[in-house]
Amino acid sequence: MEDDVSLKFRRQLLSISENLVAEDVAALKFFCTDLLSRKKLEGVKSAIDIFDLLMNEAYLSVEDTFLLAELLYRIKCPFLLKELGYTQEKMQECLPEKGRVSPYRQMLYELSENITNEMVKNIIFLLQKDLPKRWATPSALDLLILLEKQDRLSENNVQILEEVCMKVSPNLLKIINCYKKAKGIHCCSQKTPKSGILTSYSSTVNPFPLKLKYCCDIGNSKLNKFSETVSFFLSFLQKQKIYKMDGPHRGFCLVINNVKFKTSERRGSCKDAEELERVFSWLGLDVKIHTNLTSGEIIELMQTWQRLQDLKDRDCFICCILSHGESGAIHGTDEKPVSIRTIMSHFAATKCPQLTGKPKLFFIQACQGSKRQHPVSVEADAQVPELSSTQQSISLCESIPEDADFLLGLSTVDGCVSFRDIQQGAWYIQALCSNLQLLVPRGEDILSILAEVNDDVASRINKGAKQIPQPAYTLRGKVIFPIPSDPPPS
């Protein structure tokens, strides 16, 4: 009987390991740094190796799986908790008393989650004299581990992090200061330090919001339970509204795919439409695709959908538009512009009461400027180089209705082109679909996912062509899709 139990337990561990990618294994190793020797961790190649080490040190057994559950929770893999008989709610309840991962380690991991690839490059530039000469491009976690090995970073000394973050992205100081306040250490302000190893370098501030779980000013009072307090700050979800997304009908996803225009064809767009259909169907939405609509037909379609009574029984509404465009507008196949604000305003509470209080998400793959570029195998989703009727620059805020519960995800910033690979599809749509499949199973909300989309798209380049998406929203809470029971479609 004992052998049967052991076999069943090892099968559970194997099942968990098969659902963890290389980044997850790296995160597990990082969280185990305070529990297992670095020498043993250096030999780890897979999650199974880590599980064996934890069992050898009596941290993991058939009778006690809490530490492993905590690790899965910390690395944002809540969908695997059920393998061990836990839920997110149960973990949040038990962590303050039973958690083994130190607040310091939690803080470093949260920091690494908010450091983009571009920031890593900037940090390497700042610290290059102290880094190995022949070192493959590291991750944020790799950099933090190296700083610890060099005794430049520890639980009671985070000065190097403050100096780096001050130069690369001052927003990151919020995470460090949150940790320091709870520990009772004087916090670093966001003013430039008078002296230090990094005073000669300056960089642009990271434009994306932090994915910090929860942080607030705890004042000057002394805390008796430091570990519990910091865990509260760094691990619990933000205390804000989460939209209801667990109804019997998730919602509709409307896709408008304009391919054939009077003078051009948007090659590769059909791949985007197919990918959107696969991903949003996987997320539980009813996907409806409309192809090659004129400007008038787009308005008529919006009017039809705004009157649809079935919306009343749905959790959300999503609209994806793939077309040519210009500042504040998309084009119909008749090459006439339709204001993005006009499209979205059809679903404001006064015009579409069926969606009152529900998230309404719009994703627009189209240029927001008319300047043409011609990189190899990449086309710009702008139609004509001449000035058009709506050529005047329109701010992103002006595109969103003055109403709550909207999100607008534009594939590019105002005035700029948006790129589409004629075989693989648009950079933005492919990054959106890829990150939805990767991060929804980890319980991430839509704004955190869009930050990753921004990072992915911004890292791409083709013959000098670059692009950065831009989200804007009037959401009043988090949009978190329930984790599908089926594996991602691709």
Side-chain angles (χ1 to χ4, degrees):
M1 178 63 73
E2 187 175 331
D3 289 341
D4 292 339
V5 173
S6 178
L7 179 59
K8 180 181 178 181
F9 179 56
R10 287 187 173 275
R11 283 175 177 169
Q12 285 179 307
L13 297 182
L14 181 60
S15 175
I16 291 172
S17 71
E18 289 174 346
N19 283 278
L20 297 174
V21 297
E23 291 80 3
D24 298 325
V25 175
L28 287 175
K29 288 174 62 176
F30 182 76
F31 276 127
C32 288
T33 301
D34 300 328
L35 305 172
L36 304 170
S37 71
R38 291 185 183 275
K39 184 175 181 180
K40 290 181 179 179
L41 285 173
E42 286 177 357
V44 166
K45 303 297 182 183
S46 67
I48 287 294
D49 293 339
I50 296 177
F51 300 160
D52 280 333
L53 290 175
L54 291 174
M55 286 189 286
N56 290 338
E57 298 294 331
Y59 286 120
L60 176 62
S61 66
V62 177
E63 297 78 19
D64 185 5
T65 60
F66 185 82
L67 176 61
L68 178 54
E70 179 185 2
L71 294 174
L72 294 175
Y73 178 85
R74 300 290 186 201
I75 68 172
K76 302 178 178 66
C77 289
F79 64 103
L80 293 176
L81 291 176
K82 62 183 179 182
E83 294 278 355
L84 301 172
Y86 287 95
T87 64
Q88 289 192 71
E89 294 72 22
K90 183 66 174 177
M91 291 303 302
Q92 291 169 0
E93 178 185 333
C94 296
L95 277 173
E97 181 181 348
K98 299 178 63 177
R100 297 293 299 269
V101 177
S102 70
Y104 165 70
R105 196 65 49 192
Q106 294 176 51
M107 179 272 292
L108 293 183
Y109 184 71
E110 285 294 333
L111 200 63
S112 73
E113 286 285 276
N114 286 281
I115 296 177
T116 66
N117 293 335
E118 192 64 30
M119 290 183 206
V120 169
K121 294 178 183 177
N122 290 340
I123 294 172
I124 291 174
F125 176 78
L126 291 170
L127 303 176
Q128 58 182 273
K129 67 186 178 93
D130 299 309
L131 299 179
K133 298 299 182 183
R134 296 180 181 179
W135 198 23
T137 304
S139 66
L141 282 181
D142 292 330
L143 281 171
L144 294 173
I145 291 171
L146 177 65
L147 291 174
E148 286 188 298
K149 288 181 177 179
Q150 294 177 338
D151 290 328
R152 303 176 71 190
L153 175 62
S154 67
E155 182 178 350
N156 296 310
N157 180 15
V158 293
Q159 182 181 353
I160 184 68
L161 292 184
E162 292 176 306
E163 293 183 348
V164 166
C165 291
M166 185 74 74
K167 295 298 181 181
V168 174
S169 177
N171 278 341
L172 294 175
L173 287 173
K174 294 178 183 179
I175 298 176
I176 301 171
N177 285 343
C178 180
Y179 166 76
K180 292 181 67 175
K181 283 179 180 179
K183 192 170 174 60
I185 304 174
H186 176 69
C187 293
C188 175
S189 68
Q190 293 193 18
K191 297 178 181 178
T192 304
K194 293 182 179 179
S195 62
I197 62 169
L198 307 176
T199 53
S200 62
Y201 178 82
S202 64
S203 177
T204 20
V205 176
N206 176 31
F208 308 121
L210 293 174
K211 294 184 288 181
L212 183 60
K213 293 299 181 192
Y214 185 77
C215 186
C216 66
D217 191 344
I218 61 174
N220 296 320
S221 61
K222 189 174 181 179
L223 301 175
N224 295 323
K225 295 185 178 181
F226 166 60
S227 180
E228 292 182 17
T229 303
V230 181
S231 293
F232 177 77
F233 286 132
L234 296 176
S235 300
F236 284 17
L237 294 174
Q238 285 183 327
K239 291 198 171 180
Q240 66 180 79
K241 172 181 176 180
I242 297 179
Y243 286 101
K244 180 181 181 297
M245 295 286 281
D246 58 356
H249 304 292
R250 185 82 65 247
F252 288 105
C253 176
L254 175 63
V255 179
I256 298 175
N257 182 27
N258 283 348
V259 179
K260 295 184 178 180
F261 293 75
K262 289 181 178 180
T263 58
S264 65
E265 180 175 338
R266 296 182 60 254
R267 293 178 294 169
S269 188
C270 288
K271 183 175 180 62
D272 290 333
E274 292 169 0
E275 191 70 8
L276 287 169
E277 182 177 22
R278 281 195 295 269
V279 171
F280 282 113
S281 294
W282 171 67
L283 292 175
L285 288 97
D286 295 326
V287 181
K288 310 293 182 182
I289 298 180
H290 296 263
T291 306
N292 296 330
L293 301 186
T294 64
S295 56
E297 289 170 337
I298 291 173
I299 296 297
E300 289 176 3
L301 184 64
M302 296 300 113
Q303 293 171 345
T304 298
W305 276 86
Q306 87 176 155
R307 295 190 295 265
L308 189 66
Q309 290 304 308
D310 282 353
L311 294 175
K312 187 176 182 179
D313 300 322
R314 310 284 168 153
D315 293 333
C316 66
F317 175 75
I318 297 175
C319 180
C320 305
I321 301 178
L322 318 174
S323 189
H324 287 310
E326 56 189 82
S327 181
I330 55 94
H331 289 177
T333 54
D334 54 356
E335 302 182 354
K336 295 180 180 179
V338 181
S339 164
I340 293 174
R341 182 183 180 89
T342 297
I343 291 172
M344 296 178 68
S345 64
H346 283 85
F347 303 94
T350 55
K351 296 182 180 180
C352 185
Q354 311 94 293
L355 289 175
T356 299
K358 301 177 182 180
K360 297 164 276 283
L361 316 180
F362 290 76
F363 300 104
I364 309 294
Q365 167 57 42
C367 282
Q368 291 298 289
S370 60
K371 184 179 180 180
R372 294 294 299 268
Q373 298 184 36
H374 300 278
V376 176
S377 77
V378 173
E379 296 180 356
D381 268 335
Q383 195 166 4
V384 290
E386 296 85 2
L387 295 179
S388 61
S389 59
T390 61
Q391 183 56 40
Q392 294 176 321
S393 179
I394 299 176
S395 74
L396 192 61
C397 293
E398 291 174 335
S399 292
I400 299 184
E402 295 176 357
D403 206 60
D405 310 310
F406 278 94
L407 179 144
L408 171 61
L410 287 175
S411 61
T412 187
V413 296
D414 185 59
C416 296
V417 295
S418 179
F419 293 102
R420 166 178 35 86
D421 189 290
I422 61 176
Q423 293 181 335
Q424 299 300 320
W427 293 358
Y428 177 66
I429 296 298
Q430 293 302 313
L432 174 64
C433 292
S434 174
N435 280 282
L436 283 170
Q437 293 178 83
L438 177 65
L439 299 176
V440 166
R442 301 188 184 189
E444 296 280 8
D445 69 286
I446 190 64
L447 295 181
S448 296
I449 292 173
L450 289 180
E452 293 298 325
V453 171
N454 280 16
D455 190 38
D456 283 359
V457 174
S459 67
R460 298 191 60 167
I461 187 169
N462 188 297
K463 299 293 183 179
K466 290 183 73 73
Q467 177 183 333
I468 180 68
Q470 185 175 11
Y473 59 92
T474 58
L475 296 174
R476 295 174 295 124
K478 288 176 174 286
V479 177
I480 302 177
F481 290 99
I483 299 171
S485 57
D486 296 328
S490 61

